[in-house]
Amino acid sequence: MQRGSNKWISFGIDLKASKPKESVSNGVNGKDQQSARKVKNKTRPNLNLIDKLKPVHVDDLSVHVKKVKEVSTWLEQNVCCDQTGSAILLLTGPTGAGKTATINVLCKSLNISIREWINPIDQEIEGVYTQAQYSRFIEFFSLGKYVSLCQDSMSKQVLLIEDFPNFLIHNPEQFVDVLEKCTERNLSVIFICTDASNSKIDFLQTLFPQEVKEKYFITNINFNPVSATLIKSALKRAQQVIRTFSEEYKSLSADVIDAIVVSAMGDIRSAVNQFMFACLRGVGNIPLELNETTSKKRKRNEKSSAVKFMQRDEILGFFHALGRVLNPKHGDNALKKLEYDFDSLIDQFATQPSNFNAFLQENYLKYFGDLNDVRKAAEIMSTAQSFLANWSERHEIMLYALWIAVLGLMIYNEHKVSKWTQIKGPTKLKQLSNSTEVCDLKRTDYFYYNLITGTNKFHTFKPY
Amino acid sequence: MSLWVDKYRPKDLSKLDYHKDQAENLKKLTQRGDFPHLLVYGPSGAGKKTRIMCILKDLYGPGVERLRMEQLNFTTPSKKKLEIMTVSSNYHIEINPSDVGIYDRVVVMDLIKNVAQTQQLDVNGQREFKVIVLTDVDDLSKDAQHALRRTMEKYIANCRLILSANSTSRLTPAIRSRCLGIRVSAPTITEIVTILQGVCKREGLNLPTELAQRIAEKSNRNLRRAILMCEACKVEQYPFSANQNIAEPDWLLFIRAIARKISQEQSINTLASVRGDLYELIIHGIPNTIIFQTLVSELVKNCDITLKATIISQAALFEHRLQHGNKAIFHLEAFVAKYMYLYKKFLEDTIGDAF
């Protein structure tokens, strides 16, 4: 128990590992602990490394210079100048691309104060929950015009929304009210949307469709993952910061930094976190052999060019995965083996086998170049579908359907057509409901009804 | 204006045109005032619905003919709202649960519970039970059938079910054994001819026997279709002539065109366009089995006898899957692809042999 908590704390930035007894937390002495921490912070002001590592100047940002320029131009044009009318900026990009940091740094340098929406922790009893959150969110915008008293009254203010309130997940249509409010009150608002793999929480899709963007003149700036060189230079800067606190942190060798850069996959936040984690290892009462094994592990993994146990999950988009299955790449060797990690591929879509299969079925024809291959693939799809027949069936059985369909399509696609084709969604089969007037007729007899009454009440099939 | 099919539908068990023995038995059944759950099955257009209505009329009197359409709303446990059309009188309610697809279980359970829990008030000595008519029960999902089985037993005191199906093969044995099965077979050609002539006579028209014969043959022993065809002929041309054109259903011609397309060119492009056509059929409510059967019989027509056997056996395989599966297009497409492959291979082989 003691050991376990010890580990957790050592991961934390506050270096409480040096006092492991404190880590046993329970509700009773929570307050004492807090005060204890305060005292400790006073005595050792250098502990909050994460703040130290935060970029302060525009030059410190690990974002491409032109991107920063783009954002700062927007801020200058829309916030600094006395403008009339609202200004809405939408920042998009993957996690750890430096979106928030860019805004923070730029606003500081331009003397703009930021008023950020943080989701309140609701005390309401459930039921009135949605309304309360909604009205609070609207209220936030209503008050957005007034600069805080603590701030320099001359400075401009922007509203920042990164923490989208939950009610928007269920009722995205209410978001229009918010945007209306912004325009009405001539606010400058910045929305930060992180790319999401799950379509349900993909605010970019649900809240900012193209027509909304056009209607409210929303500027969209998309951030790319941070490039490896930029991460590396950021970590170098971090090394310099650390050297000033050399009694707590050890500086890392170039090998370790390289491994971190690779495994971060363009996520600067993950890179910095890993960096700090690695630094901490050398400190205080952490056993030395543990230190050794980690470094060994790193070195070993470096050959495969990534830090394995801290690697970010590779998130495979739905369409990306479809493309992989429909467009399989065979290895260069004579056997033409497919080199994929099928397990992880299947795993990603284990929750929606039926949907994935429907997508595959809709699109596979375009990727095949031979009738015989298509025949095999169609049979495989049919076999797979028969596993999905009973929707209430146990989930493992539905997984078989996924396996069969994915492997079948990949293996049988021997004469691949390699050209770009648009992926289509599965055809919606919403059958037309029974007409109220002629209930007794079967659908197969509607044709005669048309013929007899001389109307075109029902659809007629036109053989060509 | 009402169609002849509705206008000349027999309203009484004693007025039925064929299966008179069976009508006699049904009459005896209703005279007792009580009966078990019924399962009426037989091919489409054989008169299942007519017989069900006759039974109801015998039981409750002419009150059952005052029908009203109602839209019922159900909510699934996952809070999805369902709407379904029902036809009901004071004594019975008719519903087609398969209209709501996989949510049929909710509809079946809720409906029966609702109906069965309201006790019939004793208005001038009426029956103490209500009747629920479920149509197309062979399209019910397994879940719904299990739910039906339980509710059937539980509420037998104040409701009776009349199930109507095309075939019993897709019903679970549990349901079959809880019902009294009544098979309504399709009328013979001669019976159809007589009925057609009777209908025309009552309309004051003169129908030549040859035409009636031709209509009866074209209708596939489906009486409803035969009468509709006859009326369509009348609209097209009257007085009738013996060899006038009888309109065939558009979907039949459509499927025939698909079959022609498949036989003409076997390629991926054709397969893609066939898929579009099949989707059109499915979306407009042509039952999957009918699509499949018609397609197979049309495709097989231009085949050599050796090829025929293989294709039929393949068709059997995919049709079986189609019956069990939930997305017909997968199996239809697989069959078409298979056919294309076999047909093309056969053609190549025969051409190869010729040289």
Side-chain angles (χ1 to χ4, degrees), chain B residues 171-187:
Chain B
L171 287 176
T172 55
I175 300 252
R176 266 183 274 167
S177 79
R178 278 168 176 76
C179 298
L180 175 68
I182 299 168
R183 160 131 175 114
V184 184
S185 55

Side-chain angles (χ1 to χ4, degrees), chain B residues 290-302:
Chain B
I290 289 191
I291 300 177
F292 200 93
Q293 281 165 8
T294 328
L295 190 61
V296 172
S297 58
E298 291 296 331
L299 282 176
V300 157
K301 270 184 196 163
N302 359 329

Side-chain angles (χ1 to χ4, degrees), chain B residues 214-318:
Chain B
R214 278 179 56 221
I215 291 174
E217 275 158 17
K218 274 238 161 121
S219 71
N220 242 337
R221 288 177 70 197
N222 180 334
L223 183 59
R224 187 190 323 110
R225 193 171 298 158
I227 297 177
L228 283 167
M229 276 176 168
C230 185
E231 194 176 351
C233 283
K234 190 243 154 187
V235 170
E236 211 163 273
Q237 180 192 344
Y238 187 79
F240 295 120
S241 69
N243 50 3
Q244 82 175 86
N245 176 42
I246 301 168
E248 282 187 283
D250 52 348
W251 53 267
L252 186 66
L253 300 177
F254 192 71
I255 295 177
R256 219 168 261 167
I258 296 175
R260 216 175 310 127
K261 189 154 66 175
I262 295 171
S263 312
Q264 266 163 13
E265 195 198 334
Q266 296 84 34
S267 71
I268 299 176
N269 283 340
T270 324
L271 189 60
S273 91
V274 165
R275 178 202 281 181
D277 297 341
L278 291 174
Y279 265 134
E280 190 179 342
L281 285 167
I282 295 171
I283 286 171
H284 290 97
I286 307 296
N288 299 330
T289 37
I290 289 191
I291 300 177
F292 200 93
Q293 281 165 8
T294 328
L295 190 61
V296 172
S297 58
E298 291 296 331
L299 282 176
V300 157
K301 270 184 196 163
N302 359 329
C303 282
D304 188 81
I305 186 77
T306 46
L307 190 56
K308 240 178 209 170
T310 342
I311 285 170
I312 294 289
S313 80
Q314 286 301 322
L317 172 74
F318 288 111

Side-chain angles (χ1 to χ4, degrees), chain A residues 354-355 357-358 360-366 368-372 374-375 378-386 388-392 426-432 434-454 459-464, chain B residues 1 3 6 9 44 49 69 85 87 99 102 136 142-143 224-225 228-229 231-232 235-236 247-251 253-254 257-258 260-261 266-268 271-272 275 277 279-287 290 318 321 324-327 329-331 333-334 337-338 340-341 344:
Chain A
S354 149
N355 193 23
N357 273 15
L360 287 178
Q361 204 269 345
E362 187 68 37
N363 293 295
Y364 77 95
L365 278 185
K366 282 179 255 161
F368 278 70
D370 184 72
L371 187 64
N372 192 17
V374 167
R375 192 252 318 172
E379 275 176 44
I380 274 295
M381 288 310 287
S382 156
T383 315
Q385 190 56 33
S386 47
L388 293 171
N390 295 323
W391 57 279
S392 59
T427 310
K428 292 250 172 12
L429 287 183
K430 195 171 188 304
Q431 291 193 352
L432 311 170
N434 220 339
S435 161
T436 47
E437 230 173 282
V438 271
C439 200
D440 269 3
L441 280 190
K442 294 275 173 198
R443 288 191 183 135
T444 41
D445 293 325
Y446 282 173
F447 167 71
Y448 290 107
Y449 183 87
N450 278 349
L451 206 63
I452 291 163
T453 53
H459 177 82
T460 36
F461 298 102
K462 287 182 189 69
Y464 20 86
Chain B
M1 185 202 108
L3 298 172
D6 294 328
R9 181 195 285 271
S44 172
K49 185 72 187 301
M69 314 274 302
M85 285 307 297
V87 180
D99 278 354
I102 57 167
D136 289 348
K142 280 272 173 305
D143 250 30
R224 187 190 323 110
R225 193 171 298 158
L228 283 167
M229 276 176 168
E231 194 176 351
V235 170
E236 211 163 273
E248 282 187 283
D250 52 348
W251 53 267
L253 300 177
F254 192 71
I258 296 175
R260 216 175 310 127
K261 189 154 66 175
Q266 296 84 34
S267 71
I268 299 176
L271 189 60
R275 178 202 281 181
D277 297 341
Y279 265 134
E280 190 179 342
L281 285 167
I282 295 171
I283 286 171
H284 290 97
I286 307 296
I290 289 191
F318 288 111
R321 282 184 184 172
H324 287 276
N326 55 357
K327 282 195 181 133
I329 192 76
F330 280 74
H331 312 297
E333 188 171 284
K338 184 91 189 183
M340 279 185 176
Y341 168 73
K344 196 174 184 187

Side-chain angles (χ1 to χ4, degrees), chain A residues 72-199:
Chain A
S72 78
T73 324
W74 185 89
L75 284 170
E76 278 162 19
Q77 282 177 355
N78 292 292
V79 187
C80 293
C81 311
D82 274 326
Q83 99 287 18
T84 48
S86 70
I88 302 175
L89 176 68
L90 172 65
L91 295 184
T92 52
T95 46
K99 302 181 289 292
T100 319
T102 310
I103 288 295
N104 282 332
V105 170
L106 282 176
C107 284
K108 208 169 172 191
S109 72
L110 293 170
N111 194 23
I112 301 169
S113 64
I114 297 176
R115 202 177 140 90
E116 192 181 350
W117 164 261
I118 304 284
N119 277 341
I121 299 160
D122 292 81
Q123 274 106 35
E124 276 93 350
I125 309 136
E126 46 180 55
V128 284
Y129 183 78
T130 315
Q131 199 48 50
Q133 207 182 31
Y134 170 74
S135 47
R136 279 197 211 181
F137 195 53
I138 290 288
E139 194 186 84
F140 172 74
F141 284 95
S142 311
L143 300 175
K145 203 62 184 169
Y146 310 111
V147 180
S148 158
L149 288 175
C150 313
Q151 296 281 335
D152 174 13
S153 59
M154 290 306 286
S155 71
K156 301 281 176 187
Q157 178 168 271
V158 288
L159 302 187
L160 178 68
I161 288 92
E162 189 174 11
D163 202 7
F164 285 90
N166 286 338
F167 73 88
L168 289 176
I169 297 178
H170 304 291
N171 312 310
E173 62 278 2
Q174 285 178 336
F175 191 62
V176 179
D177 302 349
V178 173
L179 291 174
E180 278 297 333
K181 201 94 194 171
C182 298
T183 355
E184 197 182 293
R185 303 188 63 92
N186 295 338
L187 300 173
S188 312
V189 189
I190 298 172
F191 293 99
I192 296 183
C193 256
T194 304
D195 293 351
S197 56
N198 183 343
S199 64

